[in-house]
Amino acid sequence: MSEQEKISKYASPEALVTTEWLAENLDAVTVVESNEDILLYDTGHIPGAVKLDWHTELNDQVRRDYLDGEHFAKLMRSKGISRDDTIVLYGDKSNWWAAYAFWVFKLFGHQDVRLLDGGRMKWIAEGRELTTDKPSRAEGNYPEVVRKDDEIRAFRDDIAKHQPSPIIDIRSPQEYTGERLHMPDYPNEGAARAGHIPSAKNVPWGKLVKEDGSFKPLDELQTILFEETGSSPQDKFITYCRIGERSSLTWFALKYLVGVKDVRNYDGSWTEWGNLVGVPIAQGEAPGVFA
Amino acid sequence: MPDSEKLQLLLEYSENLPDVPSKYGENPELMERVEECQAPVFIAVEGNAEAVELFFSAPREAPTTRGFASVLHAALNGKTAREITDLDDDFPGQLGLENLISPLRVRGMRGMLFRIKRKTKELLDS
């Protein structure tokens, strides 16, 4: 099966592009690189790509929240991005941060956003062109749009209301069971308690991608996300991880690849839930019961 | 120093991180993984109370982490154990990178310093 055939079987094939397609369409799209590592873009990037830093640019620097419509519009204009641009996002770490940025673009209802299958790693592994030249772009045309949180973003109070619909915890098994915060003499991950939200199923994000960082084909994703979690495509889903970045990738797969209509990413994630007073927490391998 | 220059400087540090000796390159299990960093970083501490040698291994695709390692290497390699254990725990914060890079990322550097200090103490005790 060719990469293009694989993508054509997904629920929203237009949301994912191959490295080959991007190489042929570089001039027609706005390529945006979003990485965990803030310096990686500067060591070399896809020609014409714009750098977008999730931590320092998409977040409000005072409140724990994303930018509002006014500041997002300013940011987009300054990057030379316009509302009707076709945006192709890619990044390091199998696209965690690119998927995160994708999700934020969707909070602002940006219509045409796509993810580069396999991200930065696959582009480089295929020996495709990189440059350290920074693109010079004219100011973009971006209106102020109200951020819409309700459709794709979950908040802490939504967790209890969401029961008994599926919650997917995409962290490592050690984080899920709670073993991870118990290592002696090591600073913890920024949460007061270890474990998972009761009822959440553990599907480590890495199960969704192949070794080259690109997504597994539709049938394999359906097995992992539905059969193995006892869920169905008609269910409503919530995904979470530590701060919401890895779970954006699973959010993307649920919504655009296997076609779940209602899926929200809980960006508060474990760094919020693991610090909340009085909320239920389960430890060990069993999902547990939310009560 | 303007923020853009700080990032450029950190990038230069990342390019200048010395490679680890082959015994570590071939046997990464001899080094300790810094769990606080999202990129795989390994450190090793050798020497004695008079002169401590530091070794860092971090992948090329994690230049920020390499930059942190390289700054710590430049500041601490060859120093006495006392100088290392006396270094302010907030040294990473004092570099003025938290607003520029995000506190979450700088935490990885704190993790490295924490482990260097602990391993330096272990060296003194052994």
Side-chain angles (χ1 to χ4, degrees), chain A residues 126-178:
Chain A
E126 291 169 352
R128 298 186 187 272
E129 190 184 353
L130 292 179
T131 179
T132 51
D133 295 341
K134 306 251 160 70
S136 72
R137 298 174 65 91
E139 188 175 275
N141 178 14
Y142 215 98
E144 285 182 24
V145 188
V146 177
R147 200 183 72 219
K148 260 187 88 186
D149 287 340
D150 26 319
E151 272 180 37
I152 59 169
R153 186 179 188 193
F155 292 92
R156 58 181 178 272
D157 294 341
D158 297 328
I159 299 294
K161 295 177 205 154
H162 183 73
Q163 300 295 325
S165 297
I167 298 178
I168 306 293
D169 180 329
I170 65 76
R171 296 173 302 159
S172 63
Q174 294 78 12
E175 290 170 280
Y176 177 84
T177 58

Side-chain angles (χ1 to χ4, degrees), chain A residues 40-79:
Chain A
L40 192 52
Y41 170 94
D42 301 278
T43 68
H45 52 82
I46 295 178
V50 178
K51 177 181 181 178
L52 180 68
D53 187 58
W54 181 79
H55 280 294
T56 58
E57 294 184 319
L58 290 180
N59 272 284
D60 186 295
Q61 294 302 298
V62 180
R63 290 159 53 113
R64 182 174 172 187
D65 203 351
Y66 302 101
L67 297 180
D68 60 16
E70 180 196 346
H71 290 95
F72 185 73
K74 272 190 191 153
L75 177 71
M76 292 297 104
R77 287 180 210 135
S78 73
K79 301 263 174 202

Side-chain angles (χ1 to χ4, degrees), chain A residues 19-33:
Chain A
T19 47
E20 188 182 351
W21 183 91
L22 182 60
E24 287 164 6
N25 290 276
L26 273 181
D27 295 334
V29 299
T30 301
V31 185
V32 178
E33 176 162 343

Side-chain angles (χ1 to χ4, degrees), chain A residues 35-40 42-43 51 53 55-56 93 97 180 183 185-187 189-190 242-243 245, chain B residues 7 10-11 32 35-36 38-39 60-65 99-102 104-105 107 114-115 118:
Chain A
N35 293 326
E36 198 288 315
D37 195 298
I38 193 169
L39 291 176
L40 192 52
D42 301 278
T43 68
K51 177 181 181 178
D53 187 58
H55 280 294
T56 58
K93 304 283 173 69
W97 304 90
R180 173 109 189 176
M183 284 165 38
D185 297 332
Y186 292 85
E189 288 274 321
R242 191 171 59 89
I243 53 172
E245 92 286 25
Chain B
L7 279 187
L10 193 60
L11 189 61
E32 175 170 317
E35 303 279 346
E36 295 82 3
Q38 291 189 326
R60 294 261 159 212
E61 60 270 26
T64 303
T65 302
N99 287 337
L100 187 62
I101 285 184
S102 91
L104 202 69
R105 289 183 175 121
R107 209 180 63 201
F114 174 86
R115 283 156 194 270
R118 177 167 52 73

Side-chain angles (χ1 to χ4, degrees), chain A residues 227-242:
Chain A
E227 271 178 51
E228 293 178 8
T229 63
S231 320
S232 89
Q234 284 73 44
D235 283 329
K236 298 176 175 183
F237 282 77
I238 286 179
T239 59
Y240 76 93
C241 58
R242 191 171 59 89

